[in-house]
Amino acid sequence: DIQMTQSPSSLSASVGDRVTITCRASQSIRTYLNWYQQKPGKAPRLLIYAASSLQSGVPSRFSGSGSGTDFTLTISSLQPEDFATYYCHQSYSPLYTFGQGTKLEIK
Amino acid sequence: EVQLVESGGGLAQPGGSLRLSCAASEINFRNAWMSWVRQVPGKGLEWVGRIKSKTDGGTTDYAASVKGRFTISRDDSKNMLFLQMMSLKTEDTGLYYCVAYVSYWGQGTLVTVSS
């Protein structure tokens, strides 16, 4: 199975900050990488697909980059509603896998 | 608006079975690759398995933790997805989500495996 490792596991930041979350795959997944946001009690929401494509309706402050094994999710200017847990997800291999999650908290 | 509605969760004994269903609407279900993802409350997401569209072969893949015990199937005539769970273990407890493509998620159905 392809292992997905996110860092950091948790992060404290302030409204207006620029935040970057990284995700590393144990082998190349080309650009078959998706990012999700999950708030307590809610289903995950797709933010970015194919490493860098913004899902319809997602604010442009969210962006994704990377290919191969190393990927990043960037939030350019944190808003109050962005405090949540973020997951990366690979859909390259027949057996999909998720990262362990990054919890973004208010400083 | 795409809707995915899971049902069939509940309490099961270790060694028992459950069948989850997912009803899809406002989506081209026939062409969708459908997945099940589970989450222990307060923990991370775990991919359970996926079924491809029949036009792409209709094949299934499963996480190692459920392979041989869980079976995913679909009824394209009714826009329905199923997860048959057998030989349940306490570690199968969690909220089970139905996912279409990688984009659309249901709200989940809770499965509790306990004696």
Side-chain angles (χ1 to χ4, degrees), chain B residues 78-92:
Chain B
K78 296 180 180 176
N79 286 6
M80 293 289 295
L81 177 72
F82 304 101
L83 178 65
Q84 179 68 52
M85 304 187 293
M86 311 280 285
S87 303
L88 283 164
K89 304 176 180 180
T90 55
E91 53 263 40
D92 294 320

PDB file of all heavy atoms in Angstrom, chain B residues 78-92:
ATOM      1  N   LYS B  78     -31.090   1.353  -9.878  1.00  0.00           N
ATOM      2  CA  LYS B  78     -31.722   2.028  -8.733  1.00  0.00           C
ATOM      3  C   LYS B  78     -30.820   3.085  -8.103  1.00  0.00           C
ATOM      4  O   LYS B  78     -31.162   3.657  -7.065  1.00  0.00           O
ATOM      5  CB  LYS B  78     -32.111   0.995  -7.668  1.00  0.00           C
ATOM      6  CG  LYS B  78     -33.159   0.006  -8.156  1.00  0.00           C
ATOM      7  CD  LYS B  78     -33.514  -1.004  -7.076  1.00  0.00           C
ATOM      8  CE  LYS B  78     -34.568  -1.985  -7.583  1.00  0.00           C
ATOM      9  NZ  LYS B  78     -34.875  -3.041  -6.607  1.00  0.00           N
ATOM     10  N   ASN B  79     -29.682   3.341  -8.726  1.00  0.00           N
ATOM     11  CA  ASN B  79     -28.708   4.302  -8.179  1.00  0.00           C
ATOM     12  C   ASN B  79     -28.365   3.980  -6.728  1.00  0.00           C
ATOM     13  O   ASN B  79     -28.369   4.863  -5.855  1.00  0.00           O
ATOM     14  CB  ASN B  79     -29.259   5.737  -8.275  1.00  0.00           C
ATOM     15  CG  ASN B  79     -29.229   6.284  -9.684  1.00  0.00           C
ATOM     16  OD1 ASN B  79     -28.903   5.564 -10.639  1.00  0.00           O
ATOM     17  ND2 ASN B  79     -29.581   7.539  -9.844  1.00  0.00           N
ATOM     18  N   MET B  80     -28.050   2.703  -6.495  1.00  0.00           N
ATOM     19  CA  MET B  80     -27.769   2.252  -5.137  1.00  0.00           C
ATOM     20  C   MET B  80     -26.399   1.597  -5.044  1.00  0.00           C
ATOM     21  O   MET B  80     -25.969   0.865  -5.946  1.00  0.00           O
ATOM     22  CB  MET B  80     -28.816   1.234  -4.680  1.00  0.00           C
ATOM     23  CG  MET B  80     -30.214   1.787  -4.514  1.00  0.00           C
ATOM     24  SD  MET B  80     -30.379   2.889  -3.100  1.00  0.00           S
ATOM     25  CE  MET B  80     -30.071   1.780  -1.743  1.00  0.00           C
ATOM     26  N   LEU B  81     -25.745   1.840  -3.920  1.00  0.00           N
ATOM     27  CA  LEU B  81     -24.457   1.233  -3.595  1.00  0.00           C
ATOM     28  C   LEU B  81     -24.645   0.461  -2.296  1.00  0.00           C
ATOM     29  O   LEU B  81     -25.406   0.887  -1.422  1.00  0.00           O
ATOM     30  CB  LEU B  81     -23.402   2.326  -3.395  1.00  0.00           C
ATOM     31  CG  LEU B  81     -21.998   1.868  -2.984  1.00  0.00           C
ATOM     32  CD1 LEU B  81     -21.295   1.195  -4.171  1.00  0.00           C
ATOM     33  CD2 LEU B  81     -21.195   3.060  -2.486  1.00  0.00           C
ATOM     34  N   PHE B  82     -23.939  -0.666  -2.179  1.00  0.00           N
ATOM     35  CA  PHE B  82     -24.090  -1.505  -0.996  1.00  0.00           C
ATOM     36  C   PHE B  82     -22.719  -1.891  -0.425  1.00  0.00           C
ATOM     37  O   PHE B  82     -21.732  -1.969  -1.149  1.00  0.00           O
ATOM     38  CB  PHE B  82     -24.864  -2.784  -1.347  1.00  0.00           C
ATOM     39  CG  PHE B  82     -26.202  -2.513  -1.964  1.00  0.00           C
ATOM     40  CD1 PHE B  82     -26.382  -2.620  -3.336  1.00  0.00           C
ATOM     41  CD2 PHE B  82     -27.277  -2.143  -1.181  1.00  0.00           C
ATOM     42  CE1 PHE B  82     -27.602  -2.362  -3.925  1.00  0.00           C
ATOM     43  CE2 PHE B  82     -28.510  -1.875  -1.758  1.00  0.00           C
ATOM     44  CZ  PHE B  82     -28.674  -1.979  -3.130  1.00  0.00           C
ATOM     45  N   LEU B  83     -22.723  -2.142   0.876  1.00  0.00           N
ATOM     46  CA  LEU B  83     -21.538  -2.688   1.533  1.00  0.00           C
ATOM     47  C   LEU B  83     -22.015  -3.820   2.444  1.00  0.00           C
ATOM     48  O   LEU B  83     -22.678  -3.573   3.450  1.00  0.00           O
ATOM     49  CB  LEU B  83     -20.809  -1.623   2.349  1.00  0.00           C
ATOM     50  CG  LEU B  83     -19.579  -2.123   3.121  1.00  0.00           C
ATOM     51  CD1 LEU B  83     -18.494  -2.574   2.144  1.00  0.00           C
ATOM     52  CD2 LEU B  83     -19.039  -1.033   4.050  1.00  0.00           C
ATOM     53  N   GLN B  84     -21.708  -5.046   2.033  1.00  0.00           N
ATOM     54  CA  GLN B  84     -22.029  -6.213   2.859  1.00  0.00           C
ATOM     55  C   GLN B  84     -20.836  -6.483   3.759  1.00  0.00           C
ATOM     56  O   GLN B  84     -19.732  -6.714   3.268  1.00  0.00           O
ATOM     57  CB  GLN B  84     -22.319  -7.432   1.983  1.00  0.00           C
ATOM     58  CG  GLN B  84     -22.647  -8.701   2.771  1.00  0.00           C
ATOM     59  CD  GLN B  84     -23.974  -8.591   3.498  1.00  0.00           C
ATOM     60  OE1 GLN B  84     -24.994  -8.252   2.920  1.00  0.00           O
ATOM     61  NE2 GLN B  84     -23.957  -8.887   4.805  1.00  0.00           N
ATOM     62  N   MET B  85     -21.077  -6.441   5.058  1.00  0.00           N
ATOM     63  CA  MET B  85     -20.007  -6.616   6.035  1.00  0.00           C
ATOM     64  C   MET B  85     -20.249  -7.915   6.808  1.00  0.00           C
ATOM     65  O   MET B  85     -21.313  -8.085   7.411  1.00  0.00           O
ATOM     66  CB  MET B  85     -19.968  -5.428   6.995  1.00  0.00           C
ATOM     67  CG  MET B  85     -19.812  -4.093   6.273  1.00  0.00           C
ATOM     68  SD  MET B  85     -19.574  -2.704   7.398  1.00  0.00           S
ATOM     69  CE  MET B  85     -21.153  -2.674   8.196  1.00  0.00           C
ATOM     70  N   MET B  86     -19.278  -8.815   6.771  1.00  0.00           N
ATOM     71  CA  MET B  86     -19.373 -10.102   7.437  1.00  0.00           C
ATOM     72  C   MET B  86     -18.242 -10.220   8.456  1.00  0.00           C
ATOM     73  O   MET B  86     -17.271  -9.464   8.410  1.00  0.00           O
ATOM     74  CB  MET B  86     -19.266 -11.236   6.412  1.00  0.00           C
ATOM     75  CG  MET B  86     -20.170 -11.095   5.201  1.00  0.00           C
ATOM     76  SD  MET B  86     -21.855 -11.591   5.547  1.00  0.00           S
ATOM     77  CE  MET B  86     -21.633 -13.359   5.558  1.00  0.00           C
ATOM     78  N   SER B  87     -18.392 -11.211   9.344  1.00  0.00           N
ATOM     79  CA  SER B  87     -17.344 -11.497  10.332  1.00  0.00           C
ATOM     80  C   SER B  87     -16.859 -10.213  10.997  1.00  0.00           C
ATOM     81  O   SER B  87     -15.659  -9.949  11.076  1.00  0.00           O
ATOM     82  CB  SER B  87     -16.175 -12.225   9.663  1.00  0.00           C
ATOM     83  OG  SER B  87     -16.602 -13.409   9.047  1.00  0.00           O
ATOM     84  N   LEU B  88     -17.797  -9.422  11.444  1.00  0.00           N
ATOM     85  CA  LEU B  88     -17.466  -8.106  11.993  1.00  0.00           C
ATOM     86  C   LEU B  88     -16.598  -8.210  13.238  1.00  0.00           C
ATOM     87  O   LEU B  88     -16.725  -9.141  14.045  1.00  0.00           O
ATOM     88  CB  LEU B  88     -18.752  -7.338  12.312  1.00  0.00           C
ATOM     89  CG  LEU B  88     -19.452  -6.752  11.082  1.00  0.00           C
ATOM     90  CD1 LEU B  88     -20.883  -6.357  11.402  1.00  0.00           C
ATOM     91  CD2 LEU B  88     -18.675  -5.561  10.539  1.00  0.00           C
ATOM     92  N   LYS B  89     -15.722  -7.221  13.357  1.00  0.00           N
ATOM     93  CA  LYS B  89     -14.817  -7.111  14.494  1.00  0.00           C
ATOM     94  C   LYS B  89     -15.091  -5.794  15.211  1.00  0.00           C
ATOM     95  O   LYS B  89     -15.630  -4.852  14.614  1.00  0.00           O
ATOM     96  CB  LYS B  89     -13.365  -7.138  14.020  1.00  0.00           C
ATOM     97  CG  LYS B  89     -12.995  -8.356  13.185  1.00  0.00           C
ATOM     98  CD  LYS B  89     -11.569  -8.244  12.688  1.00  0.00           C
ATOM     99  CE  LYS B  89     -11.190  -9.458  11.837  1.00  0.00           C
ATOM    100  NZ  LYS B  89      -9.785  -9.366  11.345  1.00  0.00           N
ATOM    101  N   THR B  90     -14.682  -5.705  16.465  1.00  0.00           N
ATOM    102  CA  THR B  90     -14.893  -4.461  17.211  1.00  0.00           C
ATOM    103  C   THR B  90     -14.209  -3.286  16.520  1.00  0.00           C
ATOM    104  O   THR B  90     -14.706  -2.160  16.573  1.00  0.00           O
ATOM    105  CB  THR B  90     -14.392  -4.593  18.658  1.00  0.00           C
ATOM    106  OG1 THR B  90     -13.018  -5.001  18.637  1.00  0.00           O
ATOM    107  CG2 THR B  90     -15.217  -5.627  19.418  1.00  0.00           C
ATOM    108  N   GLU B  91     -13.101  -3.562  15.855  1.00  0.00           N
ATOM    109  CA  GLU B  91     -12.374  -2.476  15.176  1.00  0.00           C
ATOM    110  C   GLU B  91     -13.053  -2.010  13.890  1.00  0.00           C
ATOM    111  O   GLU B  91     -12.574  -1.071  13.246  1.00  0.00           O
ATOM    112  CB  GLU B  91     -10.921  -2.870  14.903  1.00  0.00           C
ATOM    113  CG  GLU B  91     -10.743  -4.176  14.161  1.00  0.00           C
ATOM    114  CD  GLU B  91     -10.464  -5.346  15.110  1.00  0.00           C
ATOM    115  OE1 GLU B  91     -11.097  -5.420  16.196  1.00  0.00           O
ATOM    116  OE2 GLU B  91      -9.626  -6.204  14.737  1.00  0.00           O
ATOM    117  N   ASP B  92     -14.155  -2.641  13.514  1.00  0.00           N
ATOM    118  CA  ASP B  92     -14.941  -2.159  12.369  1.00  0.00           C
ATOM    119  C   ASP B  92     -15.906  -1.051  12.783  1.00  0.00           C
ATOM    120  O   ASP B  92     -16.594  -0.468  11.937  1.00  0.00           O
ATOM    121  CB  ASP B  92     -15.732  -3.297  11.730  1.00  0.00           C
ATOM    122  CG  ASP B  92     -14.845  -4.346  11.089  1.00  0.00           C
ATOM    123  OD1 ASP B  92     -13.832  -3.958  10.464  1.00  0.00           O
ATOM    124  OD2 ASP B  92     -15.159  -5.545  11.222  1.00  0.00           O
TER     125      ASP B  92
END
